[in-house]
């Protein structure tokens, strides 16, 4: 989002072709959506089924003529370009046309888990932004949000274990969701609601997940 704010400042023109690269779960897609929002532009998601059709760029151009300003989003761009020289050639022509100087503001944005799978001449046209796994301080902030019932030292231990295990933001969210489900199921079973219908009042008094349950999930997801 800071990059988007810099793009719309008076410091210089916005980049026209961005590639967000990094491992799965590091927030590339979410940041693509946030980037378009910060730029004040609609996000046009080019799906694989559209991009593989003959003349797909004509369809996208038609959409652009209606909107003029937009962010064109290719999620997992490497899956489009791998082993398809014909598609790469079309994409190069598309970039040359869309990114040529005009009064319209169009940004092409792609994400990838492995930038090396993208044709070098396509990659060299882009501004690349690397998404790494979160550091311990960021993991601590995530755990503080998901496990507000825990003590500070317990949250710090979760962050340390997550950092040592190489967890991503997606991993943290999934661990938190898993621990909450397991805790809720166990609570309902103790209340005699196992396997049956239980309305919201049945969850009154349900405690938050124990720190050990979070830790178990973290260890299972550690790399």
């Amino acid at each position: 989002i800071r990059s988007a704010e810099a793009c719309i400042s008076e410091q210089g023109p916005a980049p026209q072709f961005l590639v967000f690269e990094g491992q799965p779960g590091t927030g590339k897609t979410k940041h693509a959506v946030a980037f378009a929002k910060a730029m004040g532009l609609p996000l046009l998601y080019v799906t694989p089924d559209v991009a593989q059709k003959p003349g797909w760029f004509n369809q996208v151009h038609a959409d652009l003529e209606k909107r003029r300003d937009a962010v064109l989003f290719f999620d997992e761009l490497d899956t489009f370009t791998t082993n398809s020289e014909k598609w790469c050639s079309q994409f190069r022509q598309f970039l040359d046309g869309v990114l040529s100087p005009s009064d319209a503001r169009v940004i092409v944005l792609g994400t990838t888990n492995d930038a090396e799978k993208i044709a070098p001449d396509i990659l060299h046209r882009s501004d690349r932004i690397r998404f790494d796994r979160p550091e311990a301080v960021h993991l601590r902030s995530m755990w503080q949000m998901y496990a507000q019932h825990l003590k500070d030292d317990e949250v710090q231990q979760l962050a340390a274990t997550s950092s040592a295990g190489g967890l991503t933001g997606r991993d943290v969210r999934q661990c938190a969701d898993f621990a909450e489900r397991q805790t809720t199921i166990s609570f309902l079973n103790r209340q005699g609601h196992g396997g049956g219908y239980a309305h919201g009042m049945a969850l009154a008094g349900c405690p938050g997940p124990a720190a050990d349950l979070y830790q178990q999930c973290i260890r299972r997801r550690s790399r």
Side-chain angles (χ1 to χ4, degrees):
I1 294 176
R2 293 194 191 97
S3 298
E5 291 172 344
C7 288
I8 58 179
S9 71
E10 297 179 355
Q11 299 176 4
Q16 291 184 289
F17 180 26
L18 290 167
V19 172
F20 290 175
E21 58 179 301
Q23 297 184 7
T26 50
K28 300 183 296 296
T29 300
K30 285 189 175 181
H31 276 79
V33 175
F35 179 86
K37 184 176 181 179
M39 292 288 289
L41 298 174
L43 185 74
L44 301 184
Y45 182 23
V46 184
T47 59
D49 60 321
V50 169
Q52 297 301 331
K53 292 180 180 179
W56 64 270
F57 44 90
N58 292 328
Q59 179 179 342
V60 176
H61 269 299
D63 288 338
L64 286 176
E65 288 179 357
K66 299 174 183 176
R67 295 175 174 82
R68 294 183 58 78
D69 300 340
V71 173
L72 295 179
F73 180 44
F74 294 81
D75 199 14
E76 298 186 8
L77 180 60
D78 54 285
T79 62
F80 293 84
T81 63
T82 303
N83 300 322
S84 179
E85 178 54 37
K86 180 178 179 181
W87 195 93
C88 288
S89 177
Q90 292 177 339
F91 189 64
R92 294 184 193 99
Q93 296 176 33
F94 176 75
L95 288 175
D96 291 340
V98 170
L99 304 185
S100 59
S102 70
D103 59 351
R105 184 167 50 153
V106 176
I107 298 174
V108 178
L109 196 160
T111 64
T112 178
N113 298 331
D114 187 355
E116 299 307 313
K117 292 182 179 180
I118 300 175
D121 64 319
I122 291 178
L123 200 59
H124 290 164
R125 301 178 186 215
S126 71
D127 289 286
R128 298 168 63 176
I129 299 178
R130 177 74 187 176
F131 284 71
D132 293 316
R133 289 176 181 151
E135 299 177 358
V137 62
H138 304 127
L139 290 166
R140 177 184 174 87
S141 296
M142 294 177 197
W143 280 117
Q144 285 176 327
M145 177 177 63
Y146 289 120
Q148 299 179 15
H149 59 287
L150 294 184
K151 299 178 181 178
D152 287 343
D153 61 330
E154 292 175 317
V155 171
Q156 182 62 43
Q157 290 172 5
L158 292 179
T161 308
S162 300
S163 179
L167 267 66
T168 65
R170 180 187 299 168
D171 292 323
V172 171
R173 185 186 72 247
Q174 291 179 347
C175 280
D177 290 344
F178 172 81
E180 289 174 5
R181 287 196 303 271
Q182 292 299 108
T183 299
T184 300
I185 291 171
S186 296
F187 177 79
L188 291 176
N189 286 339
R190 291 195 301 270
Q191 302 301 313
H193 295 286
Y197 171 78
H199 54 73
M201 291 299 295
L203 294 175
C206 181
D212 286 345
L213 185 56
Y214 289 124
Q215 290 283 9
Q216 291 173 20
C217 185
I218 292 172
R219 287 191 288 270
R220 282 197 296 270
R221 300 190 70 87
S222 295
R223 293 167 174 79

